[in-house]
Amino acid sequence: MPTLDDILENVGEFDRFQKQTFFVLCLLSAAFTPVYVGVVFFGFIPEHRCFSPGAAELSQRCGWSLEEQLNHTVPEWGGHGSGFGSRCRRYEVDWNATGVSCTDPLGSLVGNRSTVPLGPCRDGWVYDSPGTSLVTEFNLVCEDSWKLDLFQSSVNAGFLIGSINIGYIADRFGRKFCLLNTILANVVCGILLVFVPTYLWIVILRFLQGLVSKGCWTAGYILVTEVVGPKYRRMVGILYQMAFSVGLLVFDAIAYAVPHWRWLQLAVTLPSCFFLLYYWCLPESPRWLISQGKNDKAMKIVSDMAKKNRKKMPSHFEDIKFEEEDGGKQSPSLIDLVRTPQMRKNTFILMYNWFTSSVLYQGLIMHMGVAAGNMYLDFLYSALVEFPAAFIIIITIDRVGRRYPWAAANLVAGAACLVTALIPEDIHWLKVIAACIGRMGITMAFEMVCFVNTELYPTYIRNLGVMVCSSLCDVGGVIVPFIVYRLVEVWHDLPLIVFTVLGLIAGGLVLLLPETKGRVLPETVEDVENFHG
């Protein structure tokens, strides 16, 4: 009995029909960017100072610049960062007292700075920023700085819960139904985020966005690989992820033009309304229709595909009836993922690599948001390196294989993080270069774990295996804001040391996995156990 792949060889594996579908879905992939990395611009932490009415008058009278304010009245004037310490307190002195010197105000008041009592910041903060962010609007500094961590963790918690549920909807009701409904939910939540007045509602809506957005992106990934022939699946999968990198560049440009977080949220949400037009221009997956026994609808789409591709459907395929694959022999079970030695090793290594990829990828982006320098330019440079990362994958996986490039990518990412941490702050350009190399390495690792995961599990448990292992990606996403924003208060580059350890361990573990280049996909657990070297 011929398969759909046999038919695609005659009507076009990646012709006009598939290219149109691929293009519109790549737009969807690019639009996922603000949800995934939005915290960099929505929650950027500007220079801030503890406001004191008397000190503010003194600063005005003396004509101090921000740097002079920091030098003369620390901790009165705060500094860069979001955590505790002297930044969150102020001197308990009377700045309106007569005889206060502009050159040494504290010395003229008390003589010994170390004996000056410190008190809480009672009058709020002043931010040195041309725009607004969650931090400036809700004062998410000092004792409230953890709320910024929660803002990003909430969307990753939504990813974790939503990807499983949305995956079920996509398998039960179809890829197109899933896409349209999650697009609508994402648009509604995105627009509501612009208008809700309280931090609590922002976190709730951010969580709801996470519930639907990653599942929507994944459904698009599945659909784009299901409408093309087998020779093109890996290529379109990598290019679909590269579209996300294009979205990073567009998002950076929009954020630079719109520095106010609520207007920025509106600017990146409104274009998503046009994705609802996909109801008319996006096909359902013929593979899903066949799996549901809807062969007539599947053949109608295949017929449209042939017409769009200007190919003629062979007569012996026109009335074909597909047989359902016999899935009754083996039913998927979580126990199968760890029941045998090779399966157990694969599962734990893949879970750790999903976790590490997420922590390093998101962590490097967040760390850049609290680093000194031009946030927009640094973000641009780090986003640009994702393109050579995808190119390296395409030219190496079928020549060198999967294992060694994947291991090297993790090792390079870990080593680059260590180098970045050791470079002094005053050589900022060199730190940016090292961080970009780390970003390129972890981008390669992230993209490779996506498809190698599917190659290491037998057919009957493949979807379950990917779902379980990739859930660690979202666990990492929940944890990483706390790693970055808490450890940066101990030492600015301490998160990079953590990333170094995680990346180097991941690279070593990858070498323990079997090479899948040129291998037939395993069908049973026994195939996996015999899948060596």
Side-chain angles (χ1 to χ4, degrees):
M1 180 68 66
T3 65
L4 182 61
D5 289 338
D6 296 327
I7 297 178
L8 289 177
E9 288 183 5
N10 289 272
V11 301
E13 294 187 78
F14 190 60
D15 216 321
R16 293 180 63 188
F17 182 93
Q18 288 91 344
K19 289 175 182 177
Q20 176 183 299
T21 303
F22 173 69
F23 175 74
V24 297
L25 288 173
C26 280
L27 295 177
L28 187 70
S29 178
F32 177 57
T33 303
V35 180
Y36 196 69
V37 300
V39 67
V40 175
F41 299 117
F42 296 145
F44 71 89
I45 307 167
E47 293 278 355
H48 58 278
R49 61 184 187 267
C50 178
F51 178 74
S52 172
E57 292 175 11
L58 177 66
S59 170
Q60 220 169 17
R61 176 164 63 85
C62 294
W64 286 336
S65 66
L66 179 63
E67 183 177 356
E68 289 171 322
Q69 293 167 13
L70 295 174
N71 290 334
H72 287 312
T73 54
V74 172
E76 195 79 46
W77 295 102
H80 192 280
S82 61
F84 294 94
S86 62
R87 282 188 289 259
C88 303
R89 302 174 71 78
R90 71 181 192 184
Y91 290 121
E92 294 292 339
V93 295
D94 182 10
W95 295 109
N96 292 317
T98 56
V100 178
S101 164
C102 284
T103 56
D104 186 17
L106 277 174
S108 63
L109 275 175
V110 295
N112 186 354
R113 179 178 295 223
S114 63
T115 63
V116 181
L118 293 173
C121 189
R122 291 187 293 265
D123 299 295
W125 289 266
V126 176
Y127 299 96
D128 181 37
S129 169
T132 60
S133 73
L134 283 163
V135 172
T136 63
E137 182 171 332
F138 297 102
N139 289 321
L140 304 186
V141 293
C142 297
E143 65 270 11
D144 288 328
S145 59
W146 61 273
K147 293 182 179 179
L148 181 60
D149 310 5
L150 183 62
F151 170 76
Q152 182 62 15
S153 292
S154 64
V155 73
N156 281 285
F159 290 162
L160 177 60
I161 299 171
S163 58
I164 298 174
N165 296 325
I166 300 300
Y168 170 78
I169 292 174
D171 285 339
R172 177 68 180 84
F173 300 103
R175 317 316 191 202
K176 184 174 178 179
F177 175 88
C178 174
L179 278 171
L180 292 173
N181 282 277
T182 52
I183 288 170
L184 178 61
N186 192 42
V187 167
V188 171
C189 290
I191 292 176
L192 289 176
L193 267 171
V194 179
F195 300 104
V196 291
T198 64
Y199 168 81
L200 177 60
W201 273 109
I202 287 173
V203 171
I204 290 172
L205 287 169
R206 188 76 171 159
F207 171 76
L208 293 176
Q209 268 198 315
L211 276 177
V212 297
S213 56
K214 185 181 178 184
C216 178
W217 186 90
T218 305
Y221 182 91
I222 294 171
L223 179 54
V224 77
T225 56
E226 287 183 338
V227 297
V228 301
K231 290 190 296 187
Y232 295 92
R233 282 179 204 150
R234 192 172 294 116
M235 181 193 72
V236 297
I238 293 172
L239 293 178
Y240 181 79
Q241 294 178 74
M242 193 185 293
F244 175 85
S245 303
V246 175
L248 292 174
L249 300 179
V250 175
F251 185 39
D252 183 48
I254 296 174
Y256 178 77
V258 186
H260 301 279
W261 83 270
R262 289 189 184 270
W263 288 110
L264 175 60
Q265 174 65 39
L266 187 63
V268 297
T269 300
L270 287 180
S272 297
C273 295
F274 291 101
F275 293 147
L276 295 173
L277 299 176
Y278 284 5
Y279 178 84
W280 291 279
C281 63
L282 196 66
E284 181 53 272
S285 166
R287 296 181 193 276
W288 177 81
L289 291 169
I290 292 168
S291 72
Q292 301 297 305
K294 301 178 180 179
N295 297 332
D296 292 340
K297 291 184 178 179
M299 291 307 298
K300 173 66 168 63
I301 292 175
V302 170
S303 177
D304 293 340
M305 192 182 297
K307 186 182 299 183
K308 184 80 173 180
N309 293 342
R310 298 175 181 174
K311 300 286 180 68
K312 183 171 177 58
M313 175 86 77
S315 57
H316 60 283
F317 284 152
E318 290 180 353
D319 298 319
I320 195 170
K321 296 295 181 183
F322 296 94
E323 293 180 351
E324 293 186 25
E325 293 184 3
D326 183 10
K329 292 180 181 178
Q330 301 179 92
S331 57
S333 168
L334 285 171
I335 299 298
D336 289 338
L337 296 176
V338 294
R339 181 167 50 86
T340 58
Q342 190 69 33
M343 286 285 289
R344 185 162 53 246
K345 183 178 75 171
N346 292 352
T347 297
F348 289 143
I349 293 176
L350 287 167
M351 290 171 74
Y352 180 80
N353 269 271
W354 275 106
F355 175 82
T356 299
S357 295
S358 175
V359 169
L360 266 68
Y361 185 86
Q362 293 193 55
L364 285 172
I365 292 175
M366 292 178 192
H367 190 265
M368 178 184 52
V370 297
N374 188 311
M375 176 176 61
Y376 301 102
L377 281 178
D378 291 350
F379 190 91
L380 172 66
Y381 300 147
S382 65
L384 286 173
V385 301
E386 295 198 5
F387 295 96
F391 177 73
I392 292 172
I393 292 174
I394 292 173
I395 64 174
T396 59
I397 56 174
D398 289 327
R399 292 176 174 84
V400 180
R402 280 77 155 136
R403 184 169 54 180
Y404 292 119
W406 185 13
N410 277 303
L411 294 173
V412 166
C417 288
L418 178 61
V419 172
T420 305
L422 297 178
I423 295 174
E425 290 291 339
D426 55 353
I427 317 179
H428 181 70
W429 63 271
L430 190 56
K431 286 183 80 77
V432 171
I433 291 175
C436 286
I437 293 173
R439 175 77 173 273
M440 182 171 67
I442 203 58
T443 298
M444 283 183 61
F446 215 153
E447 293 186 2
M448 293 192 76
V449 73
C450 290
F451 63 80
V452 174
N453 200 153
T454 64
E455 296 177 337
L456 288 174
Y457 283 121
T459 300
Y460 81 99
I461 204 173
R462 189 166 294 134
N463 287 336
L464 180 63
V466 173
M467 182 185 72
V468 171
C469 293
S470 65
S471 67
L472 269 292
C473 165
D474 301 317
V475 173
V478 171
I479 295 173
V480 69
F482 296 94
I483 293 177
V484 174
Y485 296 130
R486 295 311 98 216
L487 294 185
V488 79
E489 297 303 330
V490 179
W491 173 36
H492 186 271
D493 290 324
L494 183 56
L496 296 175
I497 302 300
V498 176
F499 299 158
T500 297
V501 175
L502 292 174
L504 295 179
I505 293 174
L509 290 176
V510 165
L511 294 174
L512 301 178
L513 292 173
E515 177 58 67
T516 57
K517 175 196 168 191
R519 300 288 188 88
V520 176
L521 292 180
E523 296 293 336
T524 65
V525 171
E526 288 70 25
D527 292 342
V528 174
E529 291 305 305
N530 297 322
F531 210 30
H532 298 302

